[in-house]
Amino acid sequence: MTVTAGDLAREPVRLKTALSRAACTTVRGSVRLSPDIALGLVAFNSPYLFGGKALRSQLTCGACHAKEGPSGAAVRLRLRAPVPDLALLGSEIDVAAFVSRAVEYEFDGPPLPARTARALSALTRALAPYADPEANPCEVDGASLVAIGLRLCAAQAAAAHPDAEELAFVRDSLRFVLGELAESTSYEAPAALIERTNRALRAADLHGLGCGTPAHLLQLATRWDAAGHGRHFVVEYSRRGIRE
Ligand code: HEC
Protein backbone atom coordinates (compact mmCIF):
# COMPACT_ATOMS: atom_id res chain seq x y z
CA MET A 1 0.00 0.00 0.00
CA THR A 2 1.31 3.42 -0.86
CA VAL A 3 1.01 6.19 1.65
CA THR A 4 0.14 9.56 0.16
CA ALA A 5 0.60 12.90 1.83
CA GLY A 6 -3.13 12.97 2.55
CA ASP A 7 -2.84 9.87 4.76
CA LEU A 8 -0.12 11.28 6.97
CA ALA A 9 -1.20 12.62 10.33
CA ARG A 10 -1.30 16.39 10.23
CA GLU A 11 1.01 18.03 12.73
CA PRO A 12 -0.75 20.76 14.71
CA VAL A 13 0.09 24.35 13.83
CA ARG A 14 2.60 25.83 16.29
CA LEU A 15 1.08 28.76 18.12
CA LYS A 16 4.03 30.66 19.54
CA THR A 17 4.30 34.33 18.54
CA ALA A 18 7.32 36.34 19.75
CA LEU A 19 6.74 40.04 20.40
CA SER A 20 9.50 42.59 20.67
CA ARG A 21 10.33 43.81 24.14
CA ALA A 22 9.13 47.30 23.20
CA ALA A 23 5.66 45.88 22.49
CA CYS A 24 5.54 44.25 25.94
CA THR A 25 5.00 47.10 28.36
CA THR A 26 4.56 45.48 31.74
CA VAL A 27 2.55 47.22 34.41
CA ARG A 28 2.18 45.53 37.79
CA GLY A 29 3.12 42.12 36.41
CA SER A 30 0.85 42.23 33.35
CA VAL A 31 1.76 42.92 29.74
CA ARG A 32 -0.59 45.58 28.35
CA LEU A 33 -1.64 44.95 24.77
CA SER A 34 -3.58 47.42 22.66
CA PRO A 35 -6.86 46.04 21.24
CA ASP A 36 -5.27 46.14 17.76
CA ILE A 37 -2.29 44.01 18.76
CA ALA A 38 -4.56 41.62 20.66
CA LEU A 39 -6.81 41.17 17.61
CA GLY A 40 -3.72 40.96 15.40
CA LEU A 41 -2.40 38.05 17.49
CA VAL A 42 -5.69 36.19 17.09
CA ALA A 43 -5.81 36.94 13.35
CA PHE A 44 -2.15 35.92 12.85
CA ASN A 45 -3.03 32.48 14.23
CA SER A 46 -6.42 32.12 12.54
CA PRO A 47 -7.32 30.08 9.45
CA TYR A 48 -10.50 32.16 9.02
CA LEU A 49 -8.93 34.99 7.01
CA PHE A 50 -8.43 33.36 3.66
CA GLY A 51 -11.76 31.77 2.78
CA GLY A 52 -12.71 28.17 2.05
CA LYS A 53 -9.68 26.63 0.34
CA ALA A 54 -7.13 27.78 2.89
CA LEU A 55 -9.52 27.08 5.74
CA ARG A 56 -9.73 23.44 4.74
CA SER A 57 -5.96 23.17 4.91
CA GLN A 58 -5.97 25.40 8.01
CA LEU A 59 -3.39 27.88 6.84
CA THR A 60 -2.52 30.75 9.17
CA CYS A 61 0.00 33.60 8.91
CA GLY A 62 1.89 32.09 11.84
CA ALA A 63 2.06 28.66 10.19
CA CYS A 64 4.29 30.19 7.49
CA HIS A 65 5.86 33.23 9.15
CA ALA A 66 7.44 31.64 12.23
CA LYS A 67 10.96 31.51 13.56
CA GLU A 68 10.87 27.71 13.70
CA GLY A 69 9.79 27.47 10.06
CA PRO A 70 6.47 26.25 8.68
CA SER A 71 4.10 24.11 10.71
CA GLY A 72 0.78 22.35 10.16
CA ALA A 73 -0.29 22.02 6.53
CA ALA A 74 2.20 24.75 5.51
CA VAL A 75 4.99 22.17 5.86
CA ARG A 76 3.80 20.51 2.65
CA LEU A 77 3.53 23.63 0.52
CA ARG A 78 6.03 24.41 -2.18
CA LEU A 79 6.35 28.18 -2.00
CA ARG A 80 7.56 30.35 -4.85
CA ALA A 81 9.79 32.44 -2.58
CA PRO A 82 11.39 32.11 0.85
CA VAL A 83 9.18 33.27 3.72
CA PRO A 84 10.42 36.66 4.95
CA ASP A 85 10.89 37.62 8.60
CA LEU A 86 8.06 40.10 9.02
CA ALA A 87 9.88 41.97 11.79
CA LEU A 88 12.52 43.02 9.25
CA LEU A 89 10.16 44.55 6.69
CA GLY A 90 10.93 48.12 5.83
CA SER A 91 8.38 50.71 6.80
CA GLU A 92 7.57 51.25 3.12
CA ILE A 93 5.47 48.07 2.97
CA ASP A 94 1.79 48.62 3.60
CA VAL A 95 1.02 45.35 5.39
CA ALA A 96 -2.74 45.91 5.52
CA ALA A 97 -2.88 46.47 1.75
CA PHE A 98 -0.51 43.56 1.00
CA VAL A 99 -2.52 41.11 3.09
CA SER A 100 -5.89 42.30 1.78
CA ARG A 101 -4.63 41.79 -1.78
CA ALA A 102 -3.15 38.36 -0.99
CA VAL A 103 -6.35 37.16 0.66
CA GLU A 104 -8.54 38.28 -2.22
CA TYR A 105 -6.40 37.51 -5.25
CA GLU A 106 -4.15 34.64 -4.17
CA PHE A 107 -6.52 32.75 -1.91
CA ASP A 108 -9.82 33.86 -3.44
CA GLY A 109 -11.03 34.76 0.02
CA PRO A 110 -13.66 37.31 1.06
CA PRO A 111 -12.52 40.94 1.51
CA LEU A 112 -10.64 41.40 4.78
CA PRO A 113 -12.45 43.72 7.22
CA ALA A 114 -10.48 46.99 7.52
CA ARG A 115 -10.20 46.53 11.26
CA THR A 116 -8.56 43.09 10.87
CA ALA A 117 -6.13 44.39 8.25
CA ARG A 118 -5.15 47.24 10.58
CA ALA A 119 -4.71 44.78 13.47
CA LEU A 120 -2.38 42.56 11.38
CA SER A 121 -0.40 45.62 10.43
CA ALA A 122 -0.07 46.68 14.10
CA LEU A 123 0.98 43.17 15.08
CA THR A 124 3.61 43.02 12.33
CA ARG A 125 5.25 46.15 13.76
CA ALA A 126 5.28 44.49 17.22
CA LEU A 127 6.91 41.18 16.21
CA ALA A 128 10.40 40.29 17.43
CA PRO A 129 12.93 39.46 14.68
CA TYR A 130 13.69 35.72 14.33
CA ALA A 131 17.30 36.26 15.34
CA ASP A 132 16.41 38.31 18.39
CA PRO A 133 19.48 38.58 20.61
CA GLU A 134 17.32 39.59 23.57
CA ALA A 135 17.65 36.89 26.20
CA ASN A 136 14.08 37.16 27.35
CA PRO A 137 11.71 37.31 24.39
CA CYS A 138 8.11 38.15 25.08
CA GLU A 139 6.37 35.03 23.83
CA VAL A 140 2.66 34.55 23.44
CA ASP A 141 2.02 30.80 23.65
CA GLY A 142 -1.21 28.98 22.78
CA ALA A 143 -2.62 29.24 26.31
CA SER A 144 -1.92 32.99 26.44
CA LEU A 145 -3.49 33.37 23.00
CA VAL A 146 -6.72 31.79 24.28
CA ALA A 147 -6.67 34.10 27.32
CA ILE A 148 -6.17 37.16 25.09
CA GLY A 149 -8.96 36.09 22.72
CA LEU A 150 -11.36 35.52 25.61
CA ARG A 151 -10.57 39.02 26.93
CA LEU A 152 -11.30 40.49 23.49
CA CYS A 153 -14.65 38.65 23.44
CA ALA A 154 -15.44 39.81 26.97
CA ALA A 155 -14.75 43.45 26.10
CA GLN A 156 -16.89 43.21 22.95
CA ALA A 157 -19.70 41.44 24.79
CA ALA A 158 -19.68 44.21 27.41
CA ALA A 159 -19.57 47.04 24.86
CA ALA A 160 -22.61 49.18 24.14
CA HIS A 161 -22.37 48.37 20.43
CA PRO A 162 -20.58 45.04 20.02
CA ASP A 163 -18.96 44.32 16.65
CA ALA A 164 -20.76 41.10 15.70
CA GLU A 165 -18.36 40.31 12.87
CA GLU A 166 -15.29 40.63 15.09
CA LEU A 167 -16.92 38.56 17.82
CA ALA A 168 -17.73 35.73 15.43
CA PHE A 169 -14.21 35.87 13.99
CA VAL A 170 -12.50 35.74 17.39
CA ARG A 171 -14.82 32.98 18.57
CA ASP A 172 -14.22 30.78 15.51
CA SER A 173 -10.48 31.43 15.64
CA LEU A 174 -10.33 30.45 19.31
CA ARG A 175 -12.13 27.21 18.60
CA PHE A 176 -9.43 26.43 16.02
CA VAL A 177 -6.69 27.27 18.56
CA LEU A 178 -8.33 25.01 21.15
CA GLY A 179 -8.37 22.19 18.60
CA GLU A 180 -4.65 22.65 17.89
CA LEU A 181 -3.87 22.72 21.61
CA ALA A 182 -5.86 19.52 22.13
CA GLU A 183 -3.76 17.83 19.40
CA SER A 184 -0.45 19.26 20.51
CA THR A 185 2.13 16.84 21.80
CA SER A 186 4.55 19.49 23.04
CA TYR A 187 2.04 21.13 25.32
CA GLU A 188 0.21 19.31 28.06
CA ALA A 189 -3.22 20.66 27.31
CA PRO A 190 -5.58 20.94 30.26
CA ALA A 191 -8.37 18.85 28.70
CA ALA A 192 -11.07 19.92 31.17
CA LEU A 193 -10.34 23.60 30.54
CA ILE A 194 -10.37 23.08 26.75
CA GLU A 195 -13.75 21.38 27.10
CA ARG A 196 -15.21 24.13 29.31
CA THR A 197 -13.97 26.88 26.99
CA ASN A 198 -15.29 25.08 23.93
CA ARG A 199 -18.64 24.68 25.62
CA ALA A 200 -18.78 28.41 26.42
CA LEU A 201 -17.96 29.30 22.80
CA ARG A 202 -20.37 26.72 21.37
CA ALA A 203 -23.24 27.86 23.58
CA ALA A 204 -22.74 31.31 22.11
CA ASP A 205 -23.29 29.93 18.59
CA LEU A 206 -26.83 28.98 19.46
CA HIS A 207 -27.65 32.47 20.62
CA GLY A 208 -26.18 34.18 17.61
CA LEU A 209 -24.26 37.11 18.94
CA GLY A 210 -21.54 37.01 21.53
CA CYS A 211 -19.44 34.29 23.10
CA GLY A 212 -20.83 34.17 26.62
CA THR A 213 -21.18 36.55 29.53
CA PRO A 214 -18.21 38.85 30.13
CA ALA A 215 -17.77 37.58 33.70
CA HIS A 216 -17.63 33.94 32.62
CA LEU A 217 -15.20 34.71 29.80
CA LEU A 218 -12.86 36.64 32.11
CA GLN A 219 -12.97 33.81 34.61
CA LEU A 220 -11.96 31.35 31.88
CA ALA A 221 -9.21 33.76 30.72
CA THR A 222 -7.71 33.72 34.22
CA ARG A 223 -7.67 29.91 34.13
CA TRP A 224 -5.81 30.02 30.81
CA ASP A 225 -3.26 32.46 32.29
CA ALA A 226 -2.51 29.85 34.92
CA ALA A 227 -2.31 27.08 32.30
CA GLY A 228 0.33 28.86 30.20
CA HIS A 229 4.04 29.04 30.82
CA GLY A 230 4.37 32.65 29.85
CA ARG A 231 3.29 36.05 30.99
CA HIS A 232 -0.03 37.49 31.92
CA PHE A 233 -1.45 39.55 29.06
CA VAL A 234 -4.29 42.02 29.39
CA VAL A 235 -6.03 44.09 26.74
CA GLU A 236 -6.05 47.77 27.53
CA TYR A 237 -8.85 49.89 26.14
CA SER A 238 -7.54 53.10 27.64
CA ARG A 239 -9.12 55.78 25.52
CA ARG A 240 -12.45 54.18 24.80
CA GLY A 241 -13.07 53.61 28.48
CA ILE A 242 -13.79 49.89 28.26
CA ARG A 243 -12.15 48.14 31.19
CA GLU A 244 -11.80 44.56 32.23
C1 HEC B 1 1.51 29.77 2.66
C2 HEC B 1 2.50 30.47 3.50
C3 HEC B 1 2.16 31.90 3.85
C4 HEC B 1 1.05 32.34 4.52
C5 HEC B 1 -0.14 31.53 5.01
C6 HEC B 1 1.25 33.76 4.69
N1 HEC B 1 2.41 34.17 4.11
FE1 HEC B 1 3.11 36.06 4.05
N2 HEC B 1 4.55 35.47 2.77
C7 HEC B 1 4.83 34.18 2.40
C8 HEC B 1 5.90 34.17 1.40
C9 HEC B 1 6.50 32.93 0.74
C10 HEC B 1 6.27 35.52 1.19
C11 HEC B 1 7.34 36.08 0.23
C12 HEC B 1 6.86 36.08 -1.17
C13 HEC B 1 5.80 37.09 -1.40
O1 HEC B 1 6.03 38.30 -1.18
O2 HEC B 1 4.70 36.66 -1.83
C14 HEC B 1 5.39 36.31 2.08
C15 HEC B 1 5.44 37.70 2.19
C16 HEC B 1 4.74 38.43 3.11
C17 HEC B 1 4.91 39.86 3.35
C18 HEC B 1 6.00 40.74 2.72
C19 HEC B 1 5.64 41.35 1.45
C20 HEC B 1 6.81 42.11 0.87
O3 HEC B 1 6.53 42.83 -0.09
O4 HEC B 1 7.96 41.99 1.34
C21 HEC B 1 4.04 40.23 4.32
C22 HEC B 1 3.83 41.60 4.92
C23 HEC B 1 3.32 39.02 4.70
N3 HEC B 1 3.77 37.96 3.94
C24 HEC B 1 2.37 38.96 5.69
C25 HEC B 1 1.55 37.87 5.90
C26 HEC B 1 0.41 37.87 6.79
C27 HEC B 1 0.02 39.01 7.72
C28 HEC B 1 -0.18 36.66 6.66
C29 HEC B 1 -1.49 36.20 7.28
C30 HEC B 1 -2.64 36.98 6.86
C31 HEC B 1 0.61 35.88 5.72
N4 HEC B 1 1.64 36.65 5.29
C32 HEC B 1 0.35 34.57 5.35
C33 HEC B 1 4.20 33.05 2.89
C34 HEC B 1 3.00 33.07 3.58
Side-chain angles (χ1 to χ4, degrees), residues 59-81:
L59 276 185
T60 67
C61 316
C64 285
H65 290 280
K67 180 178 182 169
E68 297 86 0
S71 66
V75 169
R76 294 197 207 130
L77 296 177
R78 239 174 271 122
L79 300 170
R80 276 168 292 160

Side-chain angles (χ1 to χ4, degrees), residues 43-44 49-50 59-61 64-65 74 77 79-84 86 89 93 95 98-99 103 106-107 120 124:
F44 198 72
L49 292 173
F50 307 101
L59 276 185
T60 67
C61 316
C64 285
H65 290 280
L77 296 177
L79 300 170
R80 276 168 292 160
V83 183
L86 296 183
L89 294 179
I93 288 175
V95 173
F98 175 84
V99 172
V103 166
E106 283 186 41
F107 292 97
L120 281 167
T124 303

Side-chain angles (χ1 to χ4, degrees), residues 109-130:
L112 201 59
R115 164 124 178 70
T116 315
R118 201 177 69 220
L120 281 167
S121 176
L123 175 72
T124 303
R125 287 192 300 271
L127 292 173
Y130 294 164

Side-chain angles (χ1 to χ4, degrees), residues 193-244:
L193 185 55
I194 290 181
E195 176 52 33
R196 280 188 61 194
T197 310
N198 251 328
R199 220 179 311 133
L201 299 176
R202 214 165 34 225
D205 273 351
L206 303 175
H207 303 118
L209 193 80
C211 20
T213 68
H216 185 214
L217 295 170
L218 291 178
Q219 193 190 42
L220 285 171
T222 308
R223 297 278 183 97
W224 279 101
D225 284 338
H229 306 295
R231 295 158 208 248
H232 175 221
F233 294 90
V234 297
V235 185
E236 188 160 71
Y237 290 82
S238 52
R239 258 157 288 145
R240 284 198 281 154
I242 307 170
R243 291 232 151 250
E244 277 194 32

Side-chain angles (χ1 to χ4, degrees), residues 88-165:
L88 302 182
L89 294 179
S91 54
E92 71 277 6
I93 288 175
D94 181 343
V95 173
F98 175 84
V99 172
S100 301
R101 252 192 336 266
V103 166
E104 273 192 69
Y105 299 112
E106 283 186 41
F107 292 97
D108 238 353
L112 201 59
R115 164 124 178 70
T116 315
R118 201 177 69 220
L120 281 167
S121 176
L123 175 72
T124 303
R125 287 192 300 271
L127 292 173
Y130 294 164
D132 192 343
E134 291 175 0
N136 190 14
C138 181
E139 259 168 13
V140 180
D141 61 13
S144 294
L145 185 62
V146 176
I148 291 165
L150 289 170
R151 291 192 167 99
L152 274 177
C153 282
Q156 278 291 343
H161 303 287
D163 180 335
E165 192 180 16

Side-chain angles (χ1 to χ4, degrees), residues 39 42 46 48 113 116 149 152-153 156-157 162-176 201 204-205 208-211:
L39 180 62
V42 171
S46 172
Y48 287 95
T116 315
L152 274 177
C153 282
Q156 278 291 343
D163 180 335
E165 192 180 16
E166 181 180 317
L167 262 177
F169 172 70
V170 173
R171 184 188 62 210
D172 291 345
S173 305
L174 284 188
R175 291 179 63 180
F176 165 77
L201 299 176
D205 273 351
L209 193 80
C211 20

